[in-house]
Amino acid sequence: MRIGLGYDIHRLAQNRKLILGGVEIPYELGLLGHSDADVLIHSIIDAILGSVALRDIGYHFPDNDEKYKNIDSLELLKETNKLLLNEGYRIINIDSNIICQKPKLSPYIDNMRENIARVLNLELNQVSIKAKTNEKMDSMGEGLSISTNAVVLVERV
Ligand code: ZN
């Protein structure tokens, strides 16, 4: 078995959709980025890549490539899973945190888990997502950004 760790942070901005775990969440601000800026999926991608020492998301899906402009990050997650399988590994489980002061995410967590499980061919109980506020501190707590952490355990097929 091997383990991978991922982290990401994006700014919240006007005139952007808020997409987390492939779920569009109604809110006055959205995450800024070249892709759909799905900060949760990005940290899971980095955790998967990290588990088999395959560099990082920017190496495989560069943010100056027009191909990835506004792309659905679930597509990138699917590609990342292929890279993992090519290395001879599969996912045992994923755990993750979303650090977000606003909006309240609990109504959307199960939909996010379903999206991720579907794309990675996992059972729902292999995908965990926890939402936290940042107690109104720092950029996340002030509602200026959303950050995420993820860990992924993999085993040789
Ligand atoms: Zn990102």
Side-chain angles (χ1 to χ4, degrees), residues 24-79:
E24 190 175 332
I25 296 167
Y27 189 50
E28 66 213 49
L29 303 173
L31 292 170
L32 203 56
H34 182 71
S35 65
D36 64 1
D38 191 327
V39 67
L40 175 63
I41 300 301
H42 293 180
S43 66
I44 291 172
I45 288 172
D46 260 354
I48 293 170
L49 293 172
S51 73
V52 283
L54 278 182
R55 307 276 303 255
D56 59 31
I57 187 169
Y59 178 80
H60 293 278
F61 312 110
D63 68 4
N64 55 10
D65 190 331
E66 276 301 307
K67 191 163 61 171
Y68 302 120
K69 192 165 168 55
N70 293 322
I71 196 169
D72 178 350
S73 292
L74 289 174
E75 294 293 320
L76 305 181
L77 182 62
K78 191 181 267 185
E79 288 303 309

Side-chain angles (χ1 to χ4, degrees), residues 46-153:
D46 260 354
I48 293 170
L49 293 172
S51 73
V52 283
L54 278 182
R55 307 276 303 255
D56 59 31
I57 187 169
Y59 178 80
H60 293 278
F61 312 110
D63 68 4
N64 55 10
D65 190 331
E66 276 301 307
K67 191 163 61 171
Y68 302 120
K69 192 165 168 55
N70 293 322
I71 196 169
D72 178 350
S73 292
L74 289 174
E75 294 293 320
L76 305 181
L77 182 62
K78 191 181 267 185
E79 288 303 309
T80 303
N81 199 37
K82 285 184 196 158
L83 296 171
L84 180 73
L85 293 170
N86 282 343
E87 292 294 307
Y89 284 83
R90 67 178 166 214
I91 293 169
I92 296 177
N93 75 301
I94 297 171
D95 190 18
S96 60
N97 292 326
I98 308 174
I99 298 107
C100 171
Q101 196 70 34
K102 269 203 306 193
K104 197 162 178 49
L105 298 180
S106 58
Y108 308 104
I109 295 289
D110 280 344
N111 274 341
M112 296 180 203
R113 293 173 63 215
E114 282 162 13
N115 284 341
I116 293 161
R118 186 186 66 246
V119 166
L120 296 175
N121 295 316
L122 298 173
E123 300 295 325
L124 211 48
N125 70 5
Q126 292 173 284
V127 181
S128 163
I129 302 169
K130 307 183 299 297
K132 317 271 297 173
T133 72
N134 216 25
E135 297 285 340
K136 299 191 171 153
M137 294 181 292
D138 300 331
S139 70
M140 292 150 277
E142 289 166 11
L144 303 174
S145 68
I146 296 176
S147 77
T148 55
N149 309 294
V151 287
V152 175
L153 190 66

Side-chain angles (χ1 to χ4, degrees), residues 7-21:
Y7 166 80
D8 198 17
I9 185 167
H10 283 254
R11 264 174 218 280
L12 282 160
Q14 309 272 4
N15 303 315
R16 291 279 303 181
K17 288 179 180 168
L18 177 57
I19 296 171
L20 289 171

